[in-house]
Amino acid sequence: MTAHRIAVVGGDGIGPEVVAVALDVVRATGVAIETVEFDLGGARYLRTGEVLPDDELEELRGFDAILGGAVGTPDVPPGVLERGLLLKMRFALDLYINLRPFLAGPNRHNDGVDFLVVRENTEGTYAGEGGFLRKDTAHEIATQGSVNTRMGVERCIRYAFELAQSRDRRHLTLVHKTNVLTFAGDLWQRAFDAVALEFPDVGTAYHHVDAACIYLVEDPSRYDVIVTDNLFGDIITDLGGAVSGGIGRAASANLNPARTGASFFEPVHGSAPDIAGKGIADPRAAIISAAMMLEFLGESDAAARVRKAVNATTDTTGSTSQIGDAIRSVL
Ligand code: IPM
Ligand code: MN
């Protein structure tokens, strides 16, 4: 058995703490991995001024997967790590799917919640189109366009249909704002309708994003798979975390399904500097992210065991390492 080569980006704050526990869980499955740590994030930027040098990006590309903790420190200005590290990786490695699963948490009101959001991850308002005119004058103009290519939208929608087809409920909802974003929304709707013809066994729906927010709060169990654009996906996945198991359990996979670059697995949560170093961060989001990594590496049995162990210990409370121990003990 050849070991999977994993690049580890612990990052800042609680990032390294939760990633260490997630790696322990992965090793406990018996799947062979070989890890290389990358020093990336706010701490490195403050020390050296570097965010993600191109040679390191190219090195990352060659790994079988990248496992991340969280990046960000309060002293780094907004945008530096977001654009320079996370989005740079998403764009350069063509991680065009951001897959985020949501399961019911320990509290009862959200029983039956089991849905996934497929967020387009390389286009939309995140593409960086726009700029300033007459900056710092009274006549200043800032534009921030939304880039939607038929290819980019269609590959994301096709991925979502395939995913929905593999699930029991076989249902896919397109979330957008077609009533106002009449250009981008129209392209999304047409691409959705066209791809839907290839999947006659998948039921479909369309919800405006504002209405989807109400539905997510009132009854998130109505959703199976949601597909949406980059910015809407960013927003509704925080909401998804809040109405399901909480942000401490919200995992994500930045996938390049064409496998032309290493996919990147990370919790949705941030580096939480306020609780860093205390050993109290919930490692579940990192562990579920690691399970998604195992799945993507073809280790479906191990991935299923990890997910099952996380579900079996859903009521377990305690420190970061205690939760990790509990999950490993039922593996
Ligand atoms: C997320 C984060 C990122 C995003 C930021 C940190 C760039 O909020 O992964 O959801 O907006 O995509
Ligand atoms: Mn976000």
Side-chain angles (χ1 to χ4, degrees):
M1 179 163 71
T2 54
H4 301 287
R5 293 189 64 242
I6 313 295
V8 179
V9 181
D12 304 304
I14 61 169
E17 302 170 30
V18 295
V19 158
V21 171
L23 284 171
D24 284 345
V25 171
V26 169
R27 289 196 188 92
T29 65
V31 169
I33 56 168
E34 212 180 274
T35 60
V36 179
E37 307 239 348
F38 282 75
D39 174 22
L40 297 168
R44 163 138 175 224
Y45 173 73
L46 292 174
R47 211 174 56 243
T48 68
E50 292 164 322
V51 181
L52 176 57
D54 288 342
D55 55 328
E56 275 166 77
L57 175 64
E58 286 319 307
E59 231 182 291
L60 286 171
R61 186 189 298 280
F63 280 82
D64 295 324
I66 307 162
L67 186 65
V71 296
T73 39
D75 303 334
V76 179
V80 172
L81 297 174
E82 290 84 349
R83 285 259 162 223
L85 179 55
L86 295 170
L87 298 186
K88 187 171 175 176
M89 278 172 58
R90 289 179 189 174
F91 296 156
L93 303 178
D94 203 19
L95 308 178
Y96 60 90
I97 298 296
N98 196 325
L99 182 62
R100 299 185 161 178
F102 299 98
L103 275 176
N107 45 335
R108 255 190 222 103
H109 76 272
N110 53 22
D111 270 0
V113 172
D114 178 4
F115 67 96
L116 292 126
V117 175
V118 176
R119 165 186 176 188
E120 200 292 320
N121 211 31
T122 52
E123 301 191 344
T125 44
Y126 277 67
E129 196 264 348
F132 297 107
L133 255 181
R134 309 190 203 103
K135 194 168 181 201
D136 290 327
T137 72
H139 297 267
E140 173 165 356
I141 297 170
T143 61
Q144 190 98 47
S146 172
V147 175
N148 299 265
T149 71
R150 177 71 192 223
M151 178 281 295
V153 170
E154 204 171 302
R155 67 182 178 177
C156 173
I157 289 172
R158 185 165 284 108
Y159 179 90
F161 268 104
E162 282 166 4
L163 179 65
Q165 195 175 46
S166 73
R167 289 167 56 84
D168 292 341
R169 286 170 68 185
R170 293 195 192 166
H171 194 272
L172 180 64
T173 304
L174 170 64
V175 168
H176 209 284
K177 186 73 185 175
T178 55
N179 53 341
V180 173
L181 305 184
T182 50
F183 308 130
D186 191 67
L187 188 154
W188 272 83
Q189 184 73 66
R190 278 183 288 114
F192 187 83
D193 294 344
V195 178
L197 299 175
E198 299 167 25
F199 297 87
D201 54 339
V202 176
T204 60
Y206 168 79
H207 292 164
H208 291 320
V209 63
D210 46 354
C213 289
I214 296 179
Y215 300 146
L216 278 168
V217 170
E218 286 186 350
D219 182 17
S221 69
R222 67 188 286 158
Y223 289 113
D224 182 20
V225 181
I226 291 175
V227 64
T228 191
D229 96 334
N230 208 338
L231 183 59
F232 296 143
D234 177 49
I235 297 165
I236 68 168
T237 54
D238 267 26
L239 183 54
V243 299
S244 59
I247 202 73
R249 296 171 190 226
S252 82
N254 296 264
L255 301 177
N256 176 334
R259 296 181 193 258
T260 55
S263 293
F264 176 45
F265 302 81
E266 58 164 354
V268 174
H269 64 66
S271 58
D274 51 324
I275 59 164
K278 298 186 176 158
I280 56 170
D282 192 334
R284 286 182 179 89
I287 293 170
I288 301 165
S289 301
M292 297 176 85
M293 177 181 82
L294 287 169
E295 183 83 53
F296 198 72
L297 291 171
E299 303 287 358
S300 302
D301 287 350
R305 281 167 58 213
V306 172
R307 277 194 299 263
K308 226 173 121 190
V310 171
N311 292 340
T313 53
T314 192
D315 296 321
T316 302
T317 54
S319 67
T320 308
S321 60
Q322 283 166 339
I323 295 173
D325 292 346
I327 289 170
R328 271 187 293 120
S329 72
V330 299
L331 260 182

